Structure formats: structure tokens, C-alpha cells
Amino acid sequence: MSTNETRKPANAQWGGRFASGPSEVMERINASIDFDQRLFAQDIAGSRAHARMLVTRGILSSEDGGAINAGLDTISREIESGEFTFSAALEDIHMNIEVRLRELIGDAAGRLHTARSRNDQVATDFRLWVRDEIDAVDMQLQALQSVLLDKAEAHAGTIMPGFTHLQTAQPVTFGHHLLAYVEMFGRDRGRFADARARLNELPLGAGALAGTSFPIDRHAVAEDLGFDRPVANSLDAVSDRDFALEFMSAASISMTHISRFAEEIVIWCSDGFRFVALSDAYTTGSSMMPQKRNPDAAELSRAKAGRVFGDLLGLLTVMKGLPLAYSKDMQEDKEPVFDAADSLALALAATTGMISDMEPVIENMRNAAGKGYSTATDLADWLVRVADVPFRDAHGITGAVVKHAEDKGIDLIDLSLDEMQAIDERITDDVFSVLSVEASVASRTSFGGTAPDNVRAAASDARTRFMRD
């Protein structure tokens, strides 16, 4: 008999239906303990709540309930201290804990599994884990917003070019630019909060798929574990992984924002821009070129987005063809979620650190803001506001003025009044009051605009909306 065909003794956890154990390959493909041991705290919490309910309902004796609780205390300490021995032969975290519990307290451990299945057990553990992770992500996102707000307030009046198509468009302030990301990450927090609200229903008590004949109290367990209510349908309870998909969807969008900001840092640090400087803490050198300072933390954060997108697509593909209720395919749900969570947490930490660390090169930003005829719109607006020219006509006049300045190789503000009046006689000397980048930025006082006073007010408002003790 080949190695792959070798059979081991039956797994006692499967009961009497199986006369022999799995092949080596089957054991390897079936085991999840290498990754789902991360669920140990949630598995123990769920077991405690289930045992308390069984005792309250008279299904389990108080003596057995006490023994179970004490045994779980021991197991928790063993895992946290690294003394616990995980076995691939026992497949998953649930069986590893249950078998160890039986070693510690005897037959009482076998009564813990009354009125539950691994199907509803893992669904509960996984929801608890994702819920905890959402709370952790929210704290990280809030910290990221906080450092963005600090930097935005410090640079509410620091002028830089605003871009469309990565071409100079209009002057803005660095603070205004950073506040855009405060809003993005605020929406991310909203998406995670929405996902948390939808996942906060308890699967435990659904059994394998059909519920149980024991007189359990699912509402009591839900309250005990901080869920809003039990899942209404037992089939849905064990087969739903929407909460995992929603978590990764929110993570993917958040990683998109991280990646966009990372791309800007890469651009801003490049020789063609030199808008910001990063210290040694978030840059690396070159093994060949001693002059190099590479923004690797930004580049790696940008790359993490691809991993998280792949994690989401992978689980979507697993789930798309599964009939109700539970299928073993769903064991593939945890690794992509764990990977997405780890990638997001690391990228958030790196981005928060880079924002705190980076220093704007104010002179370079200011000089770049004046290039590319960035105040052309201010000239067009002046023609509308002062000379009563229809905007479309003002747009054409301004285009002609820009072309003339471009032909001469000078900025708009360096043209003479005579040169501008030769294009349109309605232009007066007052036009020069709007052609500097400082005047342009100061004039953008509409709600959400880039005027420095607006930026300070917007930062204060954002602190009220997003920050909490």
C-alpha cells in the first residue's frame, strides 16, 4: 500500500461511523489548526457562554459547568503561554480544545458539545474574531485620521499645487489636501461600522443546520456574547460568510485609499517634486547607489492593496457556487480574512507613521503651485465677477491670455496690463489682485474650499465628527 493510501485509526471525534482514519493527504488537506488556532480566545468565549446557558436551562449540571469553566481557564493559560500542543490530527481549534478539556476534566467535557455543532461553533468564533478585528481597525483608522488632522492644522496655509490628470490645475493648501484623506478614512470607518452591525447576530444554537431539540436559549447566549440577536434562520446561520466578505470589501476600499496616499508620497519624494522628506525611519537605501533614499514603506503599503484585493476575490470565488448549508469549502474562509486583516493593519501602521514623520518642503511646494498657469481660473472668475463677462466667454479670453504667456515663456502674473488688454480691453489693473497663488487660495472660501481659514474650520469640524475618547 502506498504512503498516500495508508490508513490510520479512526478519529474518535467522528464517532462510530468510521472504521479507519484518514490518509495522510486527507489529514493534511482537512486540517485547519495551523491557521484557525488564532480563534482560540473566541472559541473559549463561545464555549463559556454556551456552558452557562446549558446550566441555566438545566441541560448541564452546575458541577459540570464549573468543571468546564475551570478547564477552559487552564487551556486559555496554556495557549497564551505557548505550552499548549496543537495537533493536526485533531483538525481544528475546536477539537484541539475539546480533547484537551477531556484530558483535564474527564466526561464533563463531552457534555459541552450538547446542542451545538462545529458548524455553528466555527461560525460564531469567526464572527467574534471579525468583530474584534473591526474594532481594532477602527482604532487604527481613528489614529490615522488624528495624525492627518495634526498635520493639516499645522499646514493649513502651506500652498501646493492641486492636480487633475497629474497636471497642475489650481493652487490648494497642503492641509486641504490632507483633509481629503481624513474624509476617505472616515468613510472607511463607516463601512466597517456597517459591516459590524450586520455581522452582530449569533449563529450558535443553529446546530449543524436545522437547530436542536434541546430547550436552549439562543437569545441569552447572544446577549452574553454581545450580539444583538440570534441569526433568524438555522440554515443561514451556518452557511453565511457575508460578514467575512463585507470585512474584506471594506478592507479593500480602505487599502485603495492607503495605496493612493502611498502613491502620492512616492511622487512627492521623487526628484521631480521634492514636496516632502521622509526620515531614515521609513526609507531604505540602495545596495549599489549610495545616494538613494527610497520610500519603501510607501511602496510596500501600496503593494499590500493587491494582496487584500486577491483575498476578497478568493473568498468570493469559494462562496459563489455553494448550495445550502455548510460545505467544507468554507474552511477556506479564514486564511484570506486573516491575511487581509494583517495586511491592512500593517499598512495602516506604516501610513500613520509616515504621515507623522514626513516634513513638507514648503518652498518647493509653493514654487510648483505657481507653475502651469494655475491661476488661470482666477482670471476667468475675475472677468465674470468684475467685468460681467459670461463664463464661457471668459474661459476663451483666459485661454488666449494663457497662450500669450506660454509663447513668451512667462507666468500670467508677469504679463503687463497692456498685453492682457490687447486680448480683451475689459481687463483692468485690478486683475493682478487675483493672479498670485496666495490670492487664489485665499479666495476659495466656499464650503469645502481650500482657503486657509476654511481648512482650520474643517479640521476642527472633523475632530468633532471623527475623534472620540
Side-chain angles (χ1 to χ4, degrees):
M1 183 177 290
S2 69
T3 301
N4 287 351
E5 294 173 338
T6 301
R7 292 294 184 266
K8 298 180 180 181
N11 187 329
Q13 305 306 315
W14 295 348
R17 173 65 178 84
F18 288 80
S20 62
S23 69
E24 180 186 355
V25 171
M26 179 61 196
E27 185 173 284
R28 284 164 52 201
I29 198 172
N30 195 48
S32 59
I33 189 59
D34 286 348
F35 52 85
D36 72 11
Q37 61 186 261
R38 291 177 69 158
L39 300 176
F40 82 89
Q42 291 76 22
D43 192 73
I44 289 173
S47 290
R48 290 188 197 278
H50 184 65
R52 281 192 289 268
M53 180 273 296
L54 292 178
V55 170
T56 300
R57 299 295 290 175
I59 302 169
L60 186 70
S61 71
S62 58
E63 292 77 15
D64 283 345
I68 287 168
N69 196 54
L72 291 173
D73 283 341
T74 299
I75 292 170
S76 182
R77 288 194 297 270
E78 289 177 346
I79 295 176
E80 289 172 353
S81 66
E83 298 173 4
F84 191 93
T85 301
F86 293 101
S87 169
L90 295 174
E91 300 179 20
D92 56 33
I93 187 62
H94 324 297
M95 287 303 182
N96 272 265
I97 289 176
E98 183 174 329
V99 168
R100 177 58 178 152
L101 187 63
R102 183 177 283 271
E103 291 173 353
L104 290 169
I105 68 171
D107 289 346
R111 297 188 176 94
L112 174 60
H113 208 57
T114 304
R116 76 174 182 182
S117 162
R118 278 195 295 179
N119 293 355
D120 60 345
Q121 186 179 359
V122 68
T124 300
D125 294 355
F126 201 17
R127 284 187 189 234
L128 286 169
W129 190 93
V130 172
R131 191 178 70 182
D132 290 343
E133 195 64 24
I134 287 174
D135 292 342
V137 168
D138 185 71
M139 291 178 64
Q140 281 196 284
L141 284 167
Q142 182 180 351
L144 175 53
Q145 288 179 300
S146 181
V147 297
L148 282 165
L149 285 167
D150 290 344
K151 196 74 74 171
E153 288 173 330
H155 294 282
T158 299
I159 295 173
M160 68 176 292
F163 300 97
T164 60
H165 309 277
L166 206 55
Q167 305 295 311
T168 301
Q170 292 177 275
V172 297
T173 71
F174 188 45
H176 189 62
H177 192 108
L178 296 177
L179 287 182
Y181 285 96
V182 172
E183 297 300 323
M184 291 184 200
F185 293 123
R187 291 193 295 275
D188 291 337
R189 291 178 67 187
R191 273 181 282 270
F192 280 114
D194 289 345
R196 192 191 193 284
R198 269 184 292 278
L199 76 76
N200 208 36
E201 296 183 349
L202 172 74
L204 203 61
L209 76 162
T212 178
S213 60
F214 289 93
I216 63 173
D217 187 346
R218 294 186 65 208
H219 288 84
V221 178
E223 182 177 359
D224 194 350
L225 291 173
F227 288 100
D228 295 329
R229 63 193 67 85
V231 177
N233 181 281
S234 62
L235 288 166
D236 184 47
V238 299
S239 65
D240 170 48
R241 292 298 183 270
D242 289 359
F243 64 92
L245 293 170
E246 278 200 78
F247 172 77
M248 287 196 292
S249 177
S252 295
I253 296 172
S254 190
M255 283 302 309
T256 299
H257 297 151
I258 290 171
S259 183
R260 293 183 73 179
F261 192 82
E263 172 70 9
E264 298 212 278
I265 291 177
V266 171
I267 291 171
W268 292 344
C269 288
S270 68
D271 287 329
F273 284 77
R274 291 298 173 200
F275 284 0
V276 302
L278 288 173
S279 75
D280 295 353
Y282 292 94
T283 57
T284 64
S286 165
S287 62
M288 174 179 279
M289 298 167 285
Q291 83 281 9
K292 293 295 293 298
R293 181 186 290 276
N294 302 319
D296 282 7
E299 292 171 3
L300 290 166
S301 296
R302 182 176 58 186
K304 292 290 184 186
R307 286 186 63 146
V308 176
F309 299 168
D311 292 330
L312 171 60
L313 183 58
L315 185 54
L316 282 168
T317 305
V318 168
M319 296 302 299
K320 73 175 182 62
L322 297 186
L324 295 178
Y326 180 85
S327 298
K328 193 70 173 194
D329 310 51
M330 292 163 68
Q331 182 170 290
E332 296 296 318
D333 57 359
K334 294 165 202 67
E335 286 182 287
V337 172
F338 293 160
D339 183 72
D342 292 345
S343 297
L344 175 60
L346 185 56
L348 283 169
T351 304
T352 301
M354 284 188 290
I355 292 166
S356 296
D357 181 75
M358 71 181 181
E359 289 297 330
V361 184
I362 295 173
E363 182 180 3
N364 290 353
M365 284 186 169
R366 165 63 180 79
N367 291 338
K371 296 178 180 178
Y373 308 102
S374 64
T375 59
T377 304
D378 297 277
L379 172 56
D381 288 347
W382 182 91
L383 286 165
V384 172
R385 186 173 58 251
V386 177
D388 198 28
V389 178
F391 181 80
R392 282 299 169 201
D393 295 343
H395 187 282
I397 295 166
T398 301
V401 174
V402 169
K403 184 178 187 307
H404 181 69
E406 189 175 37
D407 290 342
K408 294 191 67 176
I410 60 176
D411 293 330
L412 290 180
I413 201 167
D414 296 322
L415 288 172
S416 69
L417 178 61
D418 289 341
E419 287 175 299
M420 285 191 276
Q421 286 182 331
I423 295 172
D424 193 288
E425 61 184 12
R426 289 169 291 188
I427 298 175
T428 70
D429 188 60
D430 181 63
V431 76
F432 291 102
S433 68
V434 302
L435 294 182
S436 71
V437 292
E438 289 79 10
S440 175
V441 166
S443 71
R444 306 296 170 186
T445 57
S446 60
F447 182 80
T450 192
D453 286 344
N454 277 36
V455 173
R456 296 183 186 97
S460 177
D461 174 71
R463 286 194 187 278
T464 300
R465 287 186 289 131
F466 295 125
M467 297 297 111
R468 65 174 186 270
D469 295 333

